């Protein structure tokens, strides 16, 4: 018997035409950073919208708000804290180390990390002033601890993505052509795994990966060993043909620092 997924709905009555017009204005602003409708009725919605209105044309701020609003509405879903006072340290740690790397953009400048952390610290300082919370120092500490590893993750993701799609930054890039090439490549391997791995060691040109859902070890080639460090997390696909010892790294979906591990495993097990 097919199970029908639960869908939560709610009804909101506007007290006056002015409130309805305010809602439409907020909706127009929030749509620019793709906040889901539920955010318009939650405590964080107004603060995200106000932060956007401070710099309405700033793309860096808009990208930060896209990441933050998706964290509150999509990533955390119904487990979002009920107030800023309830956004305890693990909330900020998961945002910085696990959620943000999932939203890295491939850019020639590779400034996503600095831009995001800078905007996050500005936003939290603003929240502390308005709501009377004290998260500024906590978030500053996490940001400082995350900077180096997140930069490594950003650089790796850019390198691996451009290996998959070498013409990405060129005018007229044909995504379908590159996608078809990668899909054709995947079919050439007898075995493959698509999941979360952790770097255990690096030996010459080989990266030793542990498959975190069952602890299996894979000697993997095709990764830029000069910029990889042990403990990093790789979400993607490896492949191997019969008679071969080494596996080959084929497809990258995300690169994460080791601090993301408990959060990533929790998500992985909840999806299985």
């Amino acid at each position: 018997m097919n199970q029908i997924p639960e869908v939560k709905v709610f009804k909101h009555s506007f007290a006056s035409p002015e409130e309805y017009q305010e809602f439409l204005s907020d909706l127009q602003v929030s749509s620019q950073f793709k906040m889901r409708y539920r955010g318009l009725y939650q405590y964080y919605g107004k603060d995200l919208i106000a932060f956007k209105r401070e710099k309405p044309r700033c793309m860096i701020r808009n990208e930060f708000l896209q990441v933050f609003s998706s964290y509150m509405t999509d990533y955390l879903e119904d487990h979002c804290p009920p107030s800023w006072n309830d956004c305890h340290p693990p909330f900020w740690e998961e945002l910085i180390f696990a959620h943000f790397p999932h939203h890295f953009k491939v850019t020639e400048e590779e400034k996503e990390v600095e831009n995001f952390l800078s905007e996050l610290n500005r936003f939290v300082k603003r929240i502390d002033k308005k709501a009377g919370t004290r998260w500024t120092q906590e978030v500053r500490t996490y940001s400082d601890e995350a900077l180096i590893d997140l930069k490594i993750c950003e650089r790796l993701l850019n390198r691996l993505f451009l290996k998959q799609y070498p013409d990405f930054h060129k005018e007229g890039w044909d995504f379908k052509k590159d996608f078809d090439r990668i899909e054709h490549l995947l079919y050439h391997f007898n075995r493959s795994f698509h999941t979360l791995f952790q770097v255990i060691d690096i030996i010459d040109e080989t990266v030793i990966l542990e498959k975190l859902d069952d602890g299996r070890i894979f000697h993997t080639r095709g990764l830029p060993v000069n910029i990889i460090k042990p403990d990093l997390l790789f979400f993607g696909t490896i492949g191997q043909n019969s008679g071969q010892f080494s596996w080959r790294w084929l497809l990258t979906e995300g690169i994460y620092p080791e601090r993301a591990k408990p959060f990533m495993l929790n998500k992985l097990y909840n999806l299985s």
Side-chain angles (χ1 to χ4, degrees):
M1 182 176 179
N2 293 329
Q3 291 186 342
I4 300 175
E6 291 186 13
V7 178
K8 290 187 176 181
V9 296
F10 63 91
K11 181 179 179 181
H12 178 80
S13 299
F14 295 102
S16 66
E18 290 76 19
E19 184 185 352
Y20 178 62
Q21 290 301 318
E22 181 181 355
F23 166 80
L24 292 179
S25 177
D26 287 347
L27 178 62
Q28 189 275 329
V29 174
S30 66
S31 66
Q32 295 175 47
F33 55 90
K34 301 177 183 177
M35 185 174 75
R36 288 175 61 183
Y37 288 166
R38 71 163 68 178
L40 294 166
Y41 301 101
Q42 300 294 326
Y43 66 93
Y44 57 82
K46 289 286 187 181
D47 291 320
L48 294 177
I49 290 168
F51 199 54
K52 167 70 175 178
R53 282 180 168 138
E54 285 182 0
K55 293 185 176 181
R57 295 180 177 83
C58 178
M59 292 307 300
I60 292 174
R61 177 152 301 185
N62 200 70
E63 289 172 2
F64 161 76
L65 289 168
Q66 284 187 34
V67 175
F68 197 96
S69 64
S70 73
Y71 181 59
M72 302 295 270
T73 59
D74 298 320
Y75 186 88
L76 295 176
E77 296 182 312
D78 295 326
H79 301 289
C80 178
S83 73
W84 291 123
N85 280 299
D86 296 296
C87 294
H88 299 295
F91 168 91
W92 302 108
E93 187 178 12
E94 188 167 6
L95 167 66
I96 293 169
F97 291 97
H99 181 69
F100 167 52
H102 181 69
H103 291 267
F104 280 157
K105 291 187 177 180
V106 178
T107 66
E108 293 181 296
E109 297 81 12
E110 295 186 8
K111 293 290 186 182
E112 293 287 293
V113 173
E114 293 93 335
N115 291 340
F116 177 83
L117 294 179
S118 178
E119 287 297 301
L120 175 62
N121 281 279
R122 288 190 184 98
F123 180 70
V124 173
K125 187 175 181 180
R126 188 181 192 279
I127 291 302
D128 278 357
K129 184 176 180 180
K130 178 190 177 228
T133 51
R134 296 183 179 180
W135 301 127
T136 296
Q137 187 54 53
E138 195 83 42
V139 173
R140 173 64 65 185
T141 299
Y142 282 142
S143 297
D144 292 343
E145 293 171 351
L147 181 60
I148 293 176
D149 281 349
L150 287 179
K151 286 299 297 180
I152 292 172
C153 293
E154 181 181 19
R155 187 181 178 197
L156 267 169
L157 184 67
N158 274 261
R159 180 79 64 86
L160 291 167
F161 187 89
L162 291 175
K163 185 177 181 180
Q164 293 171 201
Y165 306 107
D167 297 326
F168 176 74
H169 291 307
K170 296 180 181 178
E171 187 176 352
W173 170 53
D174 188 341
F175 167 76
K176 187 177 185 307
K177 180 181 177 181
D178 273 348
F179 181 82
D180 290 345
R181 173 180 52 80
I182 293 171
E183 192 173 47
H184 182 72
L185 174 66
L186 292 172
Y187 282 125
H188 273 70
F189 289 85
N190 300 128
R191 294 186 294 173
S192 65
F193 291 103
H194 178 75
T195 188
L196 182 65
F197 303 89
Q198 185 165 24
V199 177
I200 302 302
D201 199 2
I202 303 163
I203 304 173
D204 296 327
E205 296 298 314
T206 300
V207 178
I208 314 300
L209 297 176
E210 178 186 0
K211 186 167 169 279
L212 288 181
D213 56 356
D214 60 15
R216 293 177 62 183
I217 300 298
F218 300 87
H219 291 70
T220 311
R221 300 178 71 87
L223 288 165
V225 295
N226 61 312
I227 55 174
I228 291 177
K229 56 176 283 189
D231 295 330
L232 289 178
L233 305 176
F234 286 63
F235 197 96
T237 304
I238 58 173
Q240 184 195 54
N241 279 321
S242 299
Q244 294 180 338
F245 173 73
S246 295
W247 291 70
R248 182 175 172 185
W249 187 261
L250 302 175
L251 192 64
T252 308
E253 286 197 18
I255 309 290
Y256 304 84
E258 197 272 340
R259 289 275 290 275
K261 185 175 179 178
F263 307 112
M264 298 291 293
L265 287 175
N266 183 52
K267 285 287 182 181
L268 188 66
Y269 292 143
N270 285 339
L271 291 173
S272 62

